[in-house]
Amino acid sequence: MHETAIAYEIMRQVWLTCRNAGTSRATRIEIEIGKGSGIDGNLLRETLRLAYSRLLPGHNTEIDLIEIPVQAHCQDCGATFTPSTLFASCPACDNYRYEIDQGDELRLRAIWIEQSDYTE
Amino acid sequence: MCNECGCDTISHAEMHRSGQSHHHTPERIAIERNVLEDNNREAMYNRGFCSASKWLLLNIVSSPGSGKTTVLENTIARLRDKTAMLVIEGDQQTDNDAQRIARTGTEAIQINTGNGCHLNAAMIRPLLEKSNLPTRSIILIENVGNLVCPALFDLGEAERIVVLSVTEGDDKPLKYPYIFANATACLINKTDLLPYVPCDINAMKDNILHINPNLRIFETSALLGTGMETWCDYLLSTLQNL
């Protein structure tokens, strides 16, 4: 359900960036989303697609969602690993004390706009 | 916007009609910004505001019906002679909870989120700025009953408290890990019902600690008052150490 609030915030930030760049339309937006971010990537993509197609139908904004896998390191044995499920134990020592190194991102990476050139 | 190509040029349709042509140059603008940055900034403001005022701000989260409001009523009854308190109630609809708290004599402010599934830091900020609580007071935020969405939204709290009742089952921490991962303490509530429900409290504690080994756990029955003294002592010592 909170994907709606996240989609709204992304659209707001895209709009602000477009306005500062002197345009109203983003042709493409790039979003980084960690698999451990607490956001469902597919749901966010569909929410954004629906919102853009309903609210800004002429924009044809492409949604580029880049998923980042989770990587962690164990605080006890130092092993680096990808947890099989979220908050699974360390595969080397079975301990649960570990830190997430990547995979909790939720970042608007970039937007694409088009500048027009005119010829007679 | 031009109806033919969708670009921004004013009167572009006229340009097309008059035979003028154009082309577009794609441009990438790097942003590299956390989507939740604005909320996180508001939360940092709230945290600084409370720290400067020496207010203990608590964000209490749980699923609906875990007993949050009863925990608050019991906590207020035990602490009202020792510290000033304010309660901020978050619910989609009704001010039932604020009315319950008001009956204890403590001020309660209700936020109705409508269709929203969580509180955010910007909703809390004006209430902090308006408050005239003395130093070393406790502000208790009862978040919208929801084990999913409030996990992502920092309100600027000093502590995030999860209330989990034994009637919800001992595997809830594994099913809804994010809310436990970001919390500082957990109240296992409704322990008076343990003889009547199939809940293994030791398995529940293990599951909580698997998600967050640093979480402080309190076993309580807010209705009967069991375990509430230990919980309130913890709050008072945290308040004194601000």
Side-chain angles (χ1 to χ4, degrees), chain A residues 9 12-13 23-25 30 86 106 108-109 111 113 115-119, chain B residues 1 6 8-9 21-25 27-29 31-33 35 38 178:
Chain A
E9 184 58 25
R12 194 181 70 83
Q13 289 184 21
T23 182
S24 67
R25 183 172 75 110
E30 296 175 18
L86 271 180
L106 179 58
L108 182 58
R109 186 191 265 184
I111 71 167
I113 60 171
Q115 301 289 9
S116 301
D117 295 320
Y118 306 103
T119 53
Chain B
M1 185 198 294
D8 279 327
T9 307
S21 64
H22 66 284
H23 65 272
H24 296 289
T25 311
E27 182 186 344
R28 183 179 187 272
I29 303 176
I31 299 175
E32 300 292 352
R33 190 172 191 269
V35 173
D38 283 359
Y178 291 101

PDB file of all heavy atoms in Angstrom, chain A residues 9 12-13 23-25 30 86 106 108-109 111 113 115-119, chain B residues 1 6 8-9 21-25 27-29 31-33 35 38 178:
ATOM      1  N   GLU A   9       5.757  10.454  -4.330  1.00  0.00           N
ATOM      2  CA  GLU A   9       6.977  11.208  -4.013  1.00  0.00           C
ATOM      3  C   GLU A   9       7.927  11.225  -5.214  1.00  0.00           C
ATOM      4  O   GLU A   9       8.554  12.247  -5.509  1.00  0.00           O
ATOM      5  CB  GLU A   9       7.644  10.592  -2.774  1.00  0.00           C
ATOM      6  CG  GLU A   9       8.869  11.335  -2.267  1.00  0.00           C
ATOM      7  CD  GLU A   9       8.607  12.796  -1.907  1.00  0.00           C
ATOM      8  OE1 GLU A   9       7.457  13.138  -1.601  1.00  0.00           O
ATOM      9  OE2 GLU A   9       9.560  13.590  -1.958  1.00  0.00           O
ATOM     10  N   ARG A  12       6.617  13.646  -7.741  1.00  0.00           N
ATOM     11  CA  ARG A  12       6.827  15.024  -7.283  1.00  0.00           C
ATOM     12  C   ARG A  12       8.275  15.454  -7.544  1.00  0.00           C
ATOM     13  O   ARG A  12       8.535  16.562  -8.028  1.00  0.00           O
ATOM     14  CB  ARG A  12       6.507  15.114  -5.786  1.00  0.00           C
ATOM     15  CG  ARG A  12       6.354  16.532  -5.246  1.00  0.00           C
ATOM     16  CD  ARG A  12       6.065  16.511  -3.762  1.00  0.00           C
ATOM     17  NE  ARG A  12       7.226  16.085  -2.999  1.00  0.00           N
ATOM     18  CZ  ARG A  12       8.228  16.895  -2.633  1.00  0.00           C
ATOM     19  NH1 ARG A  12       8.194  18.170  -2.955  1.00  0.00           N
ATOM     20  NH2 ARG A  12       9.255  16.433  -1.941  1.00  0.00           N
ATOM     21  N   GLN A  13       9.226  14.553  -7.236  1.00  0.00           N
ATOM     22  CA  GLN A  13      10.634  14.901  -7.440  1.00  0.00           C
ATOM     23  C   GLN A  13      10.955  15.031  -8.942  1.00  0.00           C
ATOM     24  O   GLN A  13      11.758  15.873  -9.338  1.00  0.00           O
ATOM     25  CB  GLN A  13      11.535  13.853  -6.779  1.00  0.00           C
ATOM     26  CG  GLN A  13      11.487  13.947  -5.253  1.00  0.00           C
ATOM     27  CD  GLN A  13      12.433  12.982  -4.565  1.00  0.00           C
ATOM     28  OE1 GLN A  13      13.388  12.499  -5.150  1.00  0.00           O
ATOM     29  NE2 GLN A  13      12.157  12.695  -3.303  1.00  0.00           N
ATOM     30  N   THR A  23      11.463  22.290 -18.488  1.00  0.00           N
ATOM     31  CA  THR A  23      10.611  21.430 -19.300  1.00  0.00           C
ATOM     32  C   THR A  23       9.499  20.870 -18.417  1.00  0.00           C
ATOM     33  O   THR A  23       9.547  21.010 -17.190  1.00  0.00           O
ATOM     34  CB  THR A  23      11.439  20.272 -19.924  1.00  0.00           C
ATOM     35  OG1 THR A  23      10.585  19.486 -20.747  1.00  0.00           O
ATOM     36  CG2 THR A  23      12.058  19.398 -18.859  1.00  0.00           C
ATOM     37  N   SER A  24       8.486  20.280 -19.009  1.00  0.00           N
ATOM     38  CA  SER A  24       7.418  19.727 -18.199  1.00  0.00           C
ATOM     39  C   SER A  24       7.353  18.212 -18.302  1.00  0.00           C
ATOM     40  O   SER A  24       6.605  17.563 -17.612  1.00  0.00           O
ATOM     41  CB  SER A  24       6.065  20.317 -18.619  1.00  0.00           C
ATOM     42  OG  SER A  24       5.743  19.875 -19.928  1.00  0.00           O
ATOM     43  N   ARG A  25       8.175  17.636 -19.183  1.00  0.00           N
ATOM     44  CA  ARG A  25       8.009  16.213 -19.473  1.00  0.00           C
ATOM     45  C   ARG A  25       9.326  15.456 -19.307  1.00  0.00           C
ATOM     46  O   ARG A  25      10.352  15.858 -19.844  1.00  0.00           O
ATOM     47  CB  ARG A  25       7.525  16.043 -20.923  1.00  0.00           C
ATOM     48  CG  ARG A  25       7.244  14.607 -21.313  1.00  0.00           C
ATOM     49  CD  ARG A  25       6.592  14.561 -22.669  1.00  0.00           C
ATOM     50  NE  ARG A  25       7.538  14.803 -23.737  1.00  0.00           N
ATOM     51  CZ  ARG A  25       7.950  13.870 -24.598  1.00  0.00           C
ATOM     52  NH1 ARG A  25       7.485  12.652 -24.510  1.00  0.00           N
ATOM     53  NH2 ARG A  25       8.810  14.166 -25.543  1.00  0.00           N
ATOM     54  N   GLU A  30      14.817   6.803 -14.051  1.00  0.00           N
ATOM     55  CA  GLU A  30      15.594   5.656 -13.569  1.00  0.00           C
ATOM     56  C   GLU A  30      15.484   5.598 -12.042  1.00  0.00           C
ATOM     57  O   GLU A  30      15.820   6.570 -11.362  1.00  0.00           O
ATOM     58  CB  GLU A  30      17.073   5.802 -13.944  1.00  0.00           C
ATOM     59  CG  GLU A  30      17.343   5.804 -15.431  1.00  0.00           C
ATOM     60  CD  GLU A  30      18.817   6.088 -15.718  1.00  0.00           C
ATOM     61  OE1 GLU A  30      19.654   5.948 -14.808  1.00  0.00           O
ATOM     62  OE2 GLU A  30      19.105   6.473 -16.864  1.00  0.00           O
ATOM     63  N   LEU A  86      15.028 -12.679   3.371  1.00  0.00           N
ATOM     64  CA  LEU A  86      15.326 -11.516   4.201  1.00  0.00           C
ATOM     65  C   LEU A  86      15.510 -11.954   5.636  1.00  0.00           C
ATOM     66  O   LEU A  86      14.716 -12.733   6.161  1.00  0.00           O
ATOM     67  CB  LEU A  86      14.170 -10.525   4.129  1.00  0.00           C
ATOM     68  CG  LEU A  86      14.250  -9.507   3.019  1.00  0.00           C
ATOM     69  CD1 LEU A  86      13.052  -8.610   3.073  1.00  0.00           C
ATOM     70  CD2 LEU A  86      15.531  -8.701   3.122  1.00  0.00           C
ATOM     71  N   LEU A 106      16.520   2.940  -2.128  1.00  0.00           N
ATOM     72  CA  LEU A 106      15.276   3.417  -2.733  1.00  0.00           C
ATOM     73  C   LEU A 106      15.613   4.824  -3.241  1.00  0.00           C
ATOM     74  O   LEU A 106      15.505   5.804  -2.512  1.00  0.00           O
ATOM     75  CB  LEU A 106      14.142   3.455  -1.703  1.00  0.00           C
ATOM     76  CG  LEU A 106      12.797   3.964  -2.221  1.00  0.00           C
ATOM     77  CD1 LEU A 106      12.304   3.135  -3.387  1.00  0.00           C
ATOM     78  CD2 LEU A 106      11.772   3.948  -1.110  1.00  0.00           C
ATOM     79  N   LEU A 108      15.971   7.752  -6.512  1.00  0.00           N
ATOM     80  CA  LEU A 108      15.715   8.273  -7.855  1.00  0.00           C
ATOM     81  C   LEU A 108      17.084   8.585  -8.452  1.00  0.00           C
ATOM     82  O   LEU A 108      17.773   9.500  -7.999  1.00  0.00           O
ATOM     83  CB  LEU A 108      14.846   9.536  -7.776  1.00  0.00           C
ATOM     84  CG  LEU A 108      14.460  10.179  -9.101  1.00  0.00           C
ATOM     85  CD1 LEU A 108      13.717   9.207 -10.004  1.00  0.00           C
ATOM     86  CD2 LEU A 108      13.596  11.420  -8.849  1.00  0.00           C
ATOM     87  N   ARG A 109      17.501   7.765  -9.428  1.00  0.00           N
ATOM     88  CA  ARG A 109      18.873   7.881  -9.935  1.00  0.00           C
ATOM     89  C   ARG A 109      18.986   9.006 -10.962  1.00  0.00           C
ATOM     90  O   ARG A 109      19.906   9.812 -10.902  1.00  0.00           O
ATOM     91  CB  ARG A 109      19.274   6.558 -10.576  1.00  0.00           C
ATOM     92  CG  ARG A 109      20.708   6.499 -11.010  1.00  0.00           C
ATOM     93  CD  ARG A 109      20.951   5.281 -11.873  1.00  0.00           C
ATOM     94  NE  ARG A 109      21.451   4.168 -11.112  1.00  0.00           N
ATOM     95  CZ  ARG A 109      21.820   3.013 -11.661  1.00  0.00           C
ATOM     96  NH1 ARG A 109      21.689   2.830 -12.973  1.00  0.00           N
ATOM     97  NH2 ARG A 109      22.267   2.039 -10.912  1.00  0.00           N
ATOM     98  N   ILE A 111      16.689  11.316 -14.398  1.00  0.00           N
ATOM     99  CA  ILE A 111      15.559  11.428 -15.331  1.00  0.00           C
ATOM    100  C   ILE A 111      16.111  11.835 -16.695  1.00  0.00           C
ATOM    101  O   ILE A 111      17.211  12.400 -16.793  1.00  0.00           O
ATOM    102  CB  ILE A 111      14.476  12.431 -14.870  1.00  0.00           C
ATOM    103  CG1 ILE A 111      14.971  13.882 -14.982  1.00  0.00           C
ATOM    104  CG2 ILE A 111      13.996  12.136 -13.473  1.00  0.00           C
ATOM    105  CD1 ILE A 111      13.843  14.893 -14.831  1.00  0.00           C
ATOM    106  N   ILE A 113      15.230  13.963 -20.187  1.00  0.00           N
ATOM    107  CA  ILE A 113      14.344  14.934 -20.817  1.00  0.00           C
ATOM    108  C   ILE A 113      14.786  15.114 -22.258  1.00  0.00           C
ATOM    109  O   ILE A 113      15.837  14.575 -22.647  1.00  0.00           O
ATOM    110  CB  ILE A 113      14.354  16.306 -20.088  1.00  0.00           C
ATOM    111  CG1 ILE A 113      15.765  16.894 -20.092  1.00  0.00           C
ATOM    112  CG2 ILE A 113      13.813  16.151 -18.675  1.00  0.00           C
ATOM    113  CD1 ILE A 113      15.818  18.324 -19.599  1.00  0.00           C
ATOM    114  N   GLN A 115      15.585  18.118 -25.130  1.00  0.00           N
ATOM    115  CA  GLN A 115      15.678  19.525 -25.503  1.00  0.00           C
ATOM    116  C   GLN A 115      15.395  19.624 -26.994  1.00  0.00           C
ATOM    117  O   GLN A 115      15.838  18.788 -27.780  1.00  0.00           O
ATOM    118  CB  GLN A 115      17.075  20.072 -25.224  1.00  0.00           C
ATOM    119  CG  GLN A 115      17.498  19.968 -23.759  1.00  0.00           C
ATOM    120  CD  GLN A 115      16.764  20.932 -22.847  1.00  0.00           C
ATOM    121  OE1 GLN A 115      15.812  21.576 -23.282  1.00  0.00           O
ATOM    122  NE2 GLN A 115      17.163  21.004 -21.602  1.00  0.00           N
ATOM    123  N   SER A 116      14.615  20.623 -27.388  1.00  0.00           N
ATOM    124  CA  SER A 116      14.248  20.765 -28.812  1.00  0.00           C
ATOM    125  C   SER A 116      15.189  21.722 -29.527  1.00  0.00           C
ATOM    126  O   SER A 116      15.587  22.746 -28.973  1.00  0.00           O
ATOM    127  CB  SER A 116      12.832  21.320 -28.927  1.00  0.00           C
ATOM    128  OG  SER A 116      11.952  20.448 -28.293  1.00  0.00           O
ATOM    129  N   ASP A 117      15.569  21.357 -30.757  1.00  0.00           N
ATOM    130  CA  ASP A 117      16.295  22.274 -31.642  1.00  0.00           C
ATOM    131  C   ASP A 117      15.390  22.535 -32.850  1.00  0.00           C
ATOM    132  O   ASP A 117      14.706  21.638 -33.280  1.00  0.00           O
ATOM    133  CB  ASP A 117      17.604  21.646 -32.151  1.00  0.00           C
ATOM    134  CG  ASP A 117      18.556  21.409 -30.976  1.00  0.00           C
ATOM    135  OD1 ASP A 117      18.614  22.283 -30.107  1.00  0.00           O
ATOM    136  OD2 ASP A 117      19.202  20.349 -30.972  1.00  0.00           O
ATOM    137  N   TYR A 118      15.409  23.725 -33.361  1.00  0.00           N
ATOM    138  CA  TYR A 118      14.483  24.075 -34.443  1.00  0.00           C
ATOM    139  C   TYR A 118      15.229  24.429 -35.702  1.00  0.00           C
ATOM    140  O   TYR A 118      16.247  25.102 -35.659  1.00  0.00           O
ATOM    141  CB  TYR A 118      13.600  25.250 -34.010  1.00  0.00           C
ATOM    142  CG  TYR A 118      12.917  24.946 -32.714  1.00  0.00           C
ATOM    143  CD1 TYR A 118      13.380  25.508 -31.542  1.00  0.00           C
ATOM    144  CD2 TYR A 118      11.870  24.032 -32.686  1.00  0.00           C
ATOM    145  CE1 TYR A 118      12.789  25.187 -30.344  1.00  0.00           C
ATOM    146  CE2 TYR A 118      11.280  23.713 -31.477  1.00  0.00           C
ATOM    147  CZ  TYR A 118      11.743  24.302 -30.327  1.00  0.00           C
ATOM    148  OH  TYR A 118      11.151  23.968 -29.146  1.00  0.00           O
ATOM    149  N   THR A 119      14.705  23.931 -36.807  1.00  0.00           N
ATOM    150  CA  THR A 119      15.296  24.262 -38.106  1.00  0.00           C
ATOM    151  C   THR A 119      14.199  24.759 -39.029  1.00  0.00           C
ATOM    152  O   THR A 119      13.060  24.353 -38.916  1.00  0.00           O
ATOM    153  CB  THR A 119      15.975  23.046 -38.748  1.00  0.00           C
ATOM    154  OG1 THR A 119      15.031  21.987 -38.771  1.00  0.00           O
ATOM    155  CG2 THR A 119      17.186  22.619 -37.955  1.00  0.00           C
TER     156      THR A 119
ATOM    157  N   MET B   1       1.889  21.885 -24.375  1.00  0.00           N
ATOM    158  CA  MET B   1       2.644  20.777 -24.982  1.00  0.00           C
ATOM    159  C   MET B   1       2.203  20.574 -26.430  1.00  0.00           C
ATOM    160  O   MET B   1       1.028  20.681 -26.757  1.00  0.00           O
ATOM    161  CB  MET B   1       2.383  19.495 -24.171  1.00  0.00           C
ATOM    162  CG  MET B   1       3.216  18.324 -24.638  1.00  0.00           C
ATOM    163  SD  MET B   1       2.533  16.770 -24.053  1.00  0.00           S
ATOM    164  CE  MET B   1       2.761  16.950 -22.300  1.00  0.00           C
ATOM    165  N   GLY B   6       4.653  15.850 -28.504  1.00  0.00           N
ATOM    166  CA  GLY B   6       4.671  15.791 -27.047  1.00  0.00           C
ATOM    167  C   GLY B   6       5.724  16.667 -26.400  1.00  0.00           C
ATOM    168  O   GLY B   6       5.882  16.650 -25.196  1.00  0.00           O
ATOM    169  N   ASP B   8       7.719  20.378 -25.400  1.00  0.00           N
ATOM    170  CA  ASP B   8       7.222  21.490 -24.607  1.00  0.00           C
ATOM    171  C   ASP B   8       6.973  22.782 -25.365  1.00  0.00           C
ATOM    172  O   ASP B   8       6.475  23.739 -24.810  1.00  0.00           O
ATOM    173  CB  ASP B   8       8.248  21.817 -23.505  1.00  0.00           C
ATOM    174  CG  ASP B   8       8.097  20.864 -22.346  1.00  0.00           C
ATOM    175  OD1 ASP B   8       6.969  20.456 -22.097  1.00  0.00           O
ATOM    176  OD2 ASP B   8       9.108  20.539 -21.719  1.00  0.00           O
ATOM    177  N   THR B   9       7.389  22.817 -26.641  1.00  0.00           N
ATOM    178  CA  THR B   9       7.380  24.091 -27.343  1.00  0.00           C
ATOM    179  C   THR B   9       5.968  24.650 -27.494  1.00  0.00           C
ATOM    180  O   THR B   9       5.056  23.951 -27.915  1.00  0.00           O
ATOM    181  CB  THR B   9       8.005  23.928 -28.731  1.00  0.00           C
ATOM    182  OG1 THR B   9       9.276  23.337 -28.549  1.00  0.00           O
ATOM    183  CG2 THR B   9       8.135  25.254 -29.427  1.00  0.00           C
ATOM    184  N   SER B  21      10.555  22.132 -39.102  1.00  0.00           N
ATOM    185  CA  SER B  21      10.838  20.830 -38.502  1.00  0.00           C
ATOM    186  C   SER B  21      11.753  21.039 -37.299  1.00  0.00           C
ATOM    187  O   SER B  21      12.278  22.122 -37.073  1.00  0.00           O
ATOM    188  CB  SER B  21      11.492  19.910 -39.528  1.00  0.00           C
ATOM    189  OG  SER B  21      12.740  20.441 -39.910  1.00  0.00           O
ATOM    190  N   HIS B  22      11.932  20.003 -36.575  1.00  0.00           N
ATOM    191  CA  HIS B  22      12.774  20.108 -35.391  1.00  0.00           C
ATOM    192  C   HIS B  22      13.248  18.706 -35.024  1.00  0.00           C
ATOM    193  O   HIS B  22      12.727  17.713 -35.505  1.00  0.00           O
ATOM    194  CB  HIS B  22      11.981  20.681 -34.212  1.00  0.00           C
ATOM    195  CG  HIS B  22      10.895  19.759 -33.764  1.00  0.00           C
ATOM    196  ND1 HIS B  22       9.719  19.621 -34.473  1.00  0.00           N
ATOM    197  CD2 HIS B  22      10.835  18.881 -32.738  1.00  0.00           C
ATOM    198  CE1 HIS B  22       8.970  18.727 -33.868  1.00  0.00           C
ATOM    199  NE2 HIS B  22       9.607  18.258 -32.834  1.00  0.00           N
ATOM    200  N   HIS B  23      14.236  18.622 -34.168  1.00  0.00           N
ATOM    201  CA  HIS B  23      14.579  17.332 -33.599  1.00  0.00           C
ATOM    202  C   HIS B  23      14.897  17.513 -32.122  1.00  0.00           C
ATOM    203  O   HIS B  23      15.150  18.630 -31.658  1.00  0.00           O
ATOM    204  CB  HIS B  23      15.732  16.668 -34.360  1.00  0.00           C
ATOM    205  CG  HIS B  23      17.026  17.422 -34.259  1.00  0.00           C
ATOM    206  ND1 HIS B  23      17.362  18.425 -35.133  1.00  0.00           N
ATOM    207  CD2 HIS B  23      18.054  17.302 -33.394  1.00  0.00           C
ATOM    208  CE1 HIS B  23      18.552  18.901 -34.813  1.00  0.00           C
ATOM    209  NE2 HIS B  23      18.984  18.246 -33.760  1.00  0.00           N
ATOM    210  N   HIS B  24      14.826  16.389 -31.406  1.00  0.00           N
ATOM    211  CA  HIS B  24      15.024  16.439 -29.961  1.00  0.00           C
ATOM    212  C   HIS B  24      16.348  15.805 -29.588  1.00  0.00           C
ATOM    213  O   HIS B  24      16.743  14.803 -30.151  1.00  0.00           O
ATOM    214  CB  HIS B  24      13.902  15.677 -29.244  1.00  0.00           C
ATOM    215  CG  HIS B  24      12.562  16.297 -29.463  1.00  0.00           C
ATOM    216  ND1 HIS B  24      12.193  17.481 -28.922  1.00  0.00           N
ATOM    217  CD2 HIS B  24      11.503  15.870 -30.204  1.00  0.00           C
ATOM    218  CE1 HIS B  24      10.969  17.778 -29.290  1.00  0.00           C
ATOM    219  NE2 HIS B  24      10.519  16.817 -30.080  1.00  0.00           N
ATOM    220  N   THR B  25      17.018  16.395 -28.603  1.00  0.00           N
ATOM    221  CA  THR B  25      18.263  15.822 -28.095  1.00  0.00           C
ATOM    222  C   THR B  25      17.989  15.280 -26.696  1.00  0.00           C
ATOM    223  O   THR B  25      17.636  16.044 -25.805  1.00  0.00           O
ATOM    224  CB  THR B  25      19.356  16.907 -28.004  1.00  0.00           C
ATOM    225  OG1 THR B  25      19.384  17.600 -29.250  1.00  0.00           O
ATOM    226  CG2 THR B  25      20.705  16.298 -27.699  1.00  0.00           C
ATOM    227  N   GLU B  27      18.559  14.214 -23.001  1.00  0.00           N
ATOM    228  CA  GLU B  27      19.517  14.671 -21.990  1.00  0.00           C
ATOM    229  C   GLU B  27      19.218  13.945 -20.689  1.00  0.00           C
ATOM    230  O   GLU B  27      18.071  13.894 -20.258  1.00  0.00           O
ATOM    231  CB  GLU B  27      19.372  16.184 -21.792  1.00  0.00           C
ATOM    232  CG  GLU B  27      20.353  16.746 -20.789  1.00  0.00           C
ATOM    233  CD  GLU B  27      20.104  18.220 -20.485  1.00  0.00           C
ATOM    234  OE1 GLU B  27      19.384  18.882 -21.262  1.00  0.00           O
ATOM    235  OE2 GLU B  27      20.620  18.683 -19.454  1.00  0.00           O
ATOM    236  N   ARG B  28      20.265  13.386 -20.091  1.00  0.00           N
ATOM    237  CA  ARG B  28      20.097  12.675 -18.819  1.00  0.00           C
ATOM    238  C   ARG B  28      20.477  13.616 -17.682  1.00  0.00           C
ATOM    239  O   ARG B  28      21.566  14.197 -17.684  1.00  0.00           O
ATOM    240  CB  ARG B  28      20.990  11.432 -18.790  1.00  0.00           C
ATOM    241  CG  ARG B  28      20.852  10.585 -17.542  1.00  0.00           C
ATOM    242  CD  ARG B  28      21.773   9.371 -17.633  1.00  0.00           C
ATOM    243  NE  ARG B  28      21.578   8.437 -16.544  1.00  0.00           N
ATOM    244  CZ  ARG B  28      22.211   8.502 -15.372  1.00  0.00           C
ATOM    245  NH1 ARG B  28      23.066   9.483 -15.138  1.00  0.00           N
ATOM    246  NH2 ARG B  28      21.980   7.596 -14.430  1.00  0.00           N
ATOM    247  N   ILE B  29      19.591  13.762 -16.719  1.00  0.00           N
ATOM    248  CA  ILE B  29      19.890  14.585 -15.547  1.00  0.00           C
ATOM    249  C   ILE B  29      20.058  13.635 -14.361  1.00  0.00           C
ATOM    250  O   ILE B  29      19.100  12.982 -13.938  1.00  0.00           O
ATOM    251  CB  ILE B  29      18.755  15.591 -15.251  1.00  0.00           C
ATOM    252  CG1 ILE B  29      18.510  16.485 -16.468  1.00  0.00           C
ATOM    253  CG2 ILE B  29      19.070  16.416 -14.027  1.00  0.00           C
ATOM    254  CD1 ILE B  29      17.339  17.433 -16.299  1.00  0.00           C
ATOM    255  N   ILE B  31      20.232  12.508 -10.633  1.00  0.00           N
ATOM    256  CA  ILE B  31      19.618  13.011  -9.400  1.00  0.00           C
ATOM    257  C   ILE B  31      20.228  12.326  -8.174  1.00  0.00           C
ATOM    258  O   ILE B  31      20.639  12.975  -7.225  1.00  0.00           O
ATOM    259  CB  ILE B  31      18.090  12.811  -9.442  1.00  0.00           C
ATOM    260  CG1 ILE B  31      17.503  13.594 -10.620  1.00  0.00           C
ATOM    261  CG2 ILE B  31      17.448  13.261  -8.131  1.00  0.00           C
ATOM    262  CD1 ILE B  31      16.048  13.386 -10.841  1.00  0.00           C
ATOM    263  N   GLU B  32      20.282  10.991  -8.187  1.00  0.00           N
ATOM    264  CA  GLU B  32      20.906  10.218  -7.097  1.00  0.00           C
ATOM    265  C   GLU B  32      20.367  10.663  -5.736  1.00  0.00           C
ATOM    266  O   GLU B  32      21.122  11.050  -4.845  1.00  0.00           O
ATOM    267  CB  GLU B  32      22.441  10.362  -7.135  1.00  0.00           C
ATOM    268  CG  GLU B  32      23.090   9.875  -8.414  1.00  0.00           C
ATOM    269  CD  GLU B  32      22.999   8.363  -8.605  1.00  0.00           C
ATOM    270  OE1 GLU B  32      22.565   7.656  -7.684  1.00  0.00           O
ATOM    271  OE2 GLU B  32      23.340   7.896  -9.719  1.00  0.00           O
ATOM    272  N   ARG B  33      19.070  10.611  -5.599  1.00  0.00           N
ATOM    273  CA  ARG B  33      18.451  11.124  -4.378  1.00  0.00           C
ATOM    274  C   ARG B  33      17.558  10.053  -3.768  1.00  0.00           C
ATOM    275  O   ARG B  33      16.779   9.415  -4.483  1.00  0.00           O
ATOM    276  CB  ARG B  33      17.603  12.344  -4.763  1.00  0.00           C
ATOM    277  CG  ARG B  33      17.067  13.165  -3.640  1.00  0.00           C
ATOM    278  CD  ARG B  33      16.420  14.419  -4.235  1.00  0.00           C
ATOM    279  NE  ARG B  33      16.107  15.402  -3.219  1.00  0.00           N
ATOM    280  CZ  ARG B  33      14.949  15.457  -2.587  1.00  0.00           C
ATOM    281  NH1 ARG B  33      14.007  14.582  -2.861  1.00  0.00           N
ATOM    282  NH2 ARG B  33      14.729  16.392  -1.688  1.00  0.00           N
ATOM    283  N   VAL B  35      14.479   8.543  -2.307  1.00  0.00           N
ATOM    284  CA  VAL B  35      13.084   8.951  -2.519  1.00  0.00           C
ATOM    285  C   VAL B  35      12.466   9.466  -1.215  1.00  0.00           C
ATOM    286  O   VAL B  35      11.598  10.340  -1.239  1.00  0.00           O
ATOM    287  CB  VAL B  35      12.278   7.761  -3.095  1.00  0.00           C
ATOM    288  CG1 VAL B  35      10.798   8.087  -3.171  1.00  0.00           C
ATOM    289  CG2 VAL B  35      12.810   7.384  -4.473  1.00  0.00           C
ATOM    290  N   ASP B  38      13.034  13.756   1.716  1.00  0.00           N
ATOM    291  CA  ASP B  38      12.285  14.865   2.321  1.00  0.00           C
ATOM    292  C   ASP B  38      11.703  14.452   3.667  1.00  0.00           C
ATOM    293  O   ASP B  38      11.740  15.210   4.636  1.00  0.00           O
ATOM    294  CB  ASP B  38      11.169  15.337   1.381  1.00  0.00           C
ATOM    295  CG  ASP B  38      11.734  16.193   0.253  1.00  0.00           C
ATOM    296  OD1 ASP B  38      12.962  16.405   0.241  1.00  0.00           O
ATOM    297  OD2 ASP B  38      10.957  16.636  -0.609  1.00  0.00           O
ATOM    298  N   TYR B 178      10.349  -6.065   8.593  1.00  0.00           N
ATOM    299  CA  TYR B 178      10.880  -4.694   8.526  1.00  0.00           C
ATOM    300  C   TYR B 178      10.553  -3.882   9.767  1.00  0.00           C
ATOM    301  O   TYR B 178      11.360  -3.103  10.247  1.00  0.00           O
ATOM    302  CB  TYR B 178      10.340  -3.978   7.289  1.00  0.00           C
ATOM    303  CG  TYR B 178      10.887  -4.541   6.010  1.00  0.00           C
ATOM    304  CD1 TYR B 178      10.143  -5.407   5.239  1.00  0.00           C
ATOM    305  CD2 TYR B 178      12.171  -4.227   5.576  1.00  0.00           C
ATOM    306  CE1 TYR B 178      10.637  -5.944   4.069  1.00  0.00           C
ATOM    307  CE2 TYR B 178      12.684  -4.758   4.419  1.00  0.00           C
ATOM    308  CZ  TYR B 178      11.917  -5.615   3.665  1.00  0.00           C
ATOM    309  OH  TYR B 178      12.429  -6.146   2.526  1.00  0.00           O
TER     310      TYR B 178
END
